[in-house]
Amino acid sequence: MYIPLQLRLTCFYVLLLIMVLCAFGYLVSMQASDRAYSDLDASLSSRASSVRLGKSLLAPGSVISLLPGITGIGTEGVSIEVLDEHLKLLATTDSTQKDFGQTYIDGIQADPVPWDGQAAHRIVQHPFDSDGTTPASMYSTIILQGQRIRVFTLASNDFGTPHIIQTVRSESGIEQSLNELHLYLLLGGTIFTLCALMGGWLITQGVLNRVRHIEQAALGISRRRSFDQRVGEKHWRGRDELSRLAETFNTMLDTLEQLYAYQQRFVADASHELRAPIASIRCNLDMLTSTSDLPAEEASAALNDARSEAERMGRLVNDLLILARSDADQQENSVSLGNTGKYQEPIDLDSLLLEVFRQYRYVRQAGKGEDQPRLLLQHITPARVTGDADQLKQALVALVDNALKYTPSEGKVSLMLSTAEGQARLEVKDTGIGMAPEDIPHIFERFYRADRTRSHEQGSSGLGLAIVQSIIQAHHGSIEVESAPGGGSTFTVRIPLE
């Protein structure tokens, strides 16, 4: 069953508030009740003590009289009876009755004398406490004509003859006050709960509305397959967790938009690069199969052209496979492009650089690279790193090959290796055509070529520098480039030392 989160949160907090209010109301009610009955008992005891110590009683057998100085009580006052040891009335506080043999409380007529006979008999039988000197006393509650009456009974022997003092007061006033307090607590709690319910609903609505904006943005992206939508980060309440969530969501959208655009461009470029060799191979094969009297020289040239295009397509596919493995390893937080164990061997980077230098110098000396620029080796410092020698050599070869391709034959390419701040610093510097400033930020992107007019004739797939960057990053290093049109380029590689 679907229950909105806003309703669940509001009900939960309101229920919690109700529980707190009930506990608070119960404590307040108990405190008020205890205090009221404690004050009532203190008042009854005080009145009984004042009669015992300060009021003059008539001698036995005298006519019943009123206690001076104490008026009629009702529900707000205290009614007093003084009884002899036979529980006959000696004095009372009632000034309204003509028959002084009866006491009086509002709403109660013809009350018994004494008020609580059971308590009076008990005090007569045991007039002193356990110490034998303190007059006995006790509190009791009786129900009379539907009213609860609180009675305090006290033994007295201050005038030579034993007698009993009973002070009474109706609990109606206390019950009425407590009922009013309960009503006020219930009314206040209800109003407070309703306010909290409305406030909680509005607050949760405001919070969840911002979450719904993020949800709508995600749904919009899913439906339109576009990452250009963003969620508003600023809010009138100021920066909070939801603002940070919106900021993080927008950052994720920026990354996804860049990756999506990059993927689309990558797929389009890969398709374009593969389309050309496939078309060339198909044309050559169609010519060979459709022409029966094709001269041997043309047939050989067609086969060589098809083989060359197949080799170029094979190199392109191999480069794509290397990059795909690199992406997979980076997603798994691996340090390798293939086997993780390969990267645990120490490598003398200076020896590896010398090996690449000798390889290209041998090609030039053999006459296969006569039109290539000079390759120079300068400032070689011994440096040992940890990694895969084959992969690092592939990166060095790609950098040197790239420098030689875009440097005229009268130019030169310099190789330098130094160490600083715990890193090996390798430079490949050429005096070639250089790059425009707008090309430099994209030079390591896949299928990007700064000089598109020479890319196909040089046999470049546009993946060489992207592979170099992935290899260097897999070795926890970095690569940078500095270049200017006509001023050559300098690629700087930094790899942590062992």
Side-chain angles (χ1 to χ4, degrees):
M1 181 176 63
Y2 173 73
I3 301 178
L5 179 60
Q6 181 178 0
L7 179 60
R8 282 186 289 168
L9 286 175
T10 303
C11 290
F12 172 76
Y13 286 116
V14 168
L15 180 61
L16 187 63
L17 176 64
I18 291 175
M19 294 173 61
V20 172
L21 289 177
C22 288
F24 175 76
Y26 176 77
L27 292 176
V28 170
S29 176
M30 291 299 296
Q31 182 78 12
S33 177
D34 291 344
R35 177 62 62 87
Y37 284 105
S38 176
D39 291 344
L40 173 60
D41 289 347
S43 175
L44 294 177
S45 174
S46 175
R47 285 298 181 91
S49 298
S50 66
V51 170
R52 181 175 65 88
L53 298 176
K55 302 301 179 182
S56 299
L57 299 179
L58 297 177
S62 300
V63 180
I64 299 174
S65 66
L66 296 174
L67 291 172
I70 303 177
T71 61
I73 38 230
T75 58
E76 298 300 326
V78 176
S79 179
I80 305 174
E81 290 182 347
V82 180
L83 310 169
D84 62 12
E85 58 184 344
H86 302 292
L87 303 184
K88 292 186 177 181
L89 187 64
L90 297 179
T92 179
T93 55
D94 184 10
S95 61
T96 62
Q97 300 275 351
K98 293 181 179 180
D99 183 3
F100 293 113
Q102 295 293 334
T103 57
Y104 172 77
I105 290 182
D106 285 348
I108 297 178
Q109 302 293 333
D111 301 329
V113 177
W115 287 99
D116 189 351
Q118 185 177 359
H121 281 292
R122 183 175 177 180
I123 293 298
V124 169
Q125 294 174 1
H126 304 282
F128 295 98
D129 287 340
S130 57
D131 58 4
T133 59
T134 304
S137 63
M138 65 177 296
Y139 292 97
S140 59
T141 301
I142 62 174
I143 305 297
L144 190 62
Q145 299 179 11
Q147 291 191 41
R148 291 172 58 88
I149 308 297
R150 187 67 168 169
V151 181
F152 177 69
T153 306
L154 174 66
S156 176
N157 197 25
D158 293 338
F159 297 93
T161 58
H163 55 273
I164 304 300
I165 303 174
Q166 280 194 339
T167 54
V168 298
R169 182 177 175 180
S170 174
E171 296 181 3
S172 301
I174 295 177
E175 292 175 353
Q176 182 179 357
S177 298
L178 292 177
N179 289 335
E180 291 177 355
L181 175 63
H182 295 160
L183 180 62
Y184 292 149
L185 288 175
L186 180 61
L187 217 70
T190 302
I191 295 174
F192 194 74
T193 301
L194 291 176
C195 292
L197 182 64
M198 291 186 293
W201 181 267
L202 294 176
I203 291 174
T204 53
Q205 184 179 21
V207 172
L208 293 178
N209 278 341
R210 300 172 67 188
V211 177
R212 292 188 189 100
H213 291 329
I214 299 177
E215 178 188 8
Q216 292 172 1
L219 288 175
I221 291 170
S222 177
R223 291 169 182 170
R224 297 196 305 269
R225 297 182 181 274
S226 174
F227 296 96
D228 57 352
Q229 187 172 351
R230 295 295 182 269
V231 180
E233 301 176 12
K234 296 182 179 180
H235 197 263
W236 63 271
R237 295 190 186 95
R239 184 175 175 82
D240 53 14
E241 288 78 3
L242 290 178
S243 298
R244 293 174 57 187
L245 175 62
E247 181 180 352
T248 304
F249 189 77
N250 288 336
T251 302
M252 180 191 68
L253 291 178
D254 292 337
T255 304
L256 289 177
E257 185 178 18
Q258 294 175 2
L259 291 177
Y260 186 66
Y262 177 75
Q263 181 185 26
Q264 287 183 318
R265 186 172 67 251
F266 177 79
V267 172
D269 290 342
S271 301
H272 175 74
E273 293 294 334
L274 290 173
R275 188 184 298 116
I278 290 175
S280 177
I281 292 173
R282 289 182 60 184
C283 289
N284 286 306
L285 292 178
D286 289 342
M287 182 179 63
L288 290 174
T289 55
S290 62
T291 306
S292 58
D293 56 349
L294 188 67
E297 294 81 4
E298 293 185 10
S300 178
L303 288 174
N304 289 333
D305 187 30
R307 182 183 300 108
S308 176
E309 291 296 329
E311 291 175 353
R312 187 163 75 89
M313 187 169 62
R315 290 193 300 270
L316 177 61
V317 172
N318 183 65
D319 290 343
L320 290 173
L321 180 61
I322 292 175
L323 290 173
R325 289 175 179 173
S326 173
D327 292 340
D329 290 334
Q330 289 178 3
Q331 290 178 358
E332 296 173 1
N333 294 324
S334 174
V335 294
S336 67
L337 295 174
N339 186 355
T340 306
K342 288 183 178 181
Y343 285 108
Q344 305 306 316
E345 59 181 2
I347 303 169
D348 291 327
L349 194 58
D350 52 318
S351 299
L352 196 63
L353 185 60
L354 287 172
E355 184 180 340
V356 174
F357 173 74
R358 294 191 186 99
Q359 175 181 333
Y360 276 91
R361 188 176 64 175
Y362 172 78
V363 171
R364 183 179 178 87
Q365 289 176 350
K368 298 180 181 180
E370 294 178 352
D371 58 341
Q372 288 185 352
R374 290 185 301 162
L375 183 63
L376 304 177
L377 193 62
Q378 301 175 345
H379 308 298
I380 301 301
T381 302
R384 174 168 288 193
V385 298
T386 300
D388 181 3
D390 293 337
Q391 296 288 349
L392 286 177
K393 183 177 180 180
Q394 180 182 358
L396 293 178
V397 168
L399 287 175
V400 173
D401 188 63
N402 182 78
L404 293 174
K405 282 180 182 179
Y406 296 103
T407 303
S409 57
E410 64 273 10
K412 63 179 180 179
V413 176
S414 303
L415 305 179
M416 290 167 282
L417 178 62
S418 61
T419 58
E421 298 179 355
Q423 291 183 326
R425 186 173 185 270
L426 173 67
E427 290 187 8
V428 179
K429 184 176 182 180
D430 63 65
T431 58
I433 59 177
M435 291 176 286
E438 60 271 14
D439 291 327
I440 294 178
H442 309 284
I443 196 64
F444 295 106
E445 295 180 4
R446 301 172 188 184
F447 293 111
Y448 186 86
R449 301 185 186 90
D451 185 6
R452 296 185 178 271
T453 60
R454 301 180 57 187
S455 58
H456 288 287
E457 66 184 36
Q458 296 286 356
S460 172
S461 64
L463 296 175
L465 292 179
I467 293 175
V468 171
Q469 185 184 51
S470 64
I471 292 175
I472 299 303
Q473 289 178 348
H475 286 76
H476 307 289
S478 62
I479 181 170
E480 300 172 356
V481 60
E482 295 180 3
S483 183
S489 302
T490 301
F491 287 85
T492 304
V493 176
R494 293 180 175 86
I495 300 176
L497 295 172
E498 184 185 17

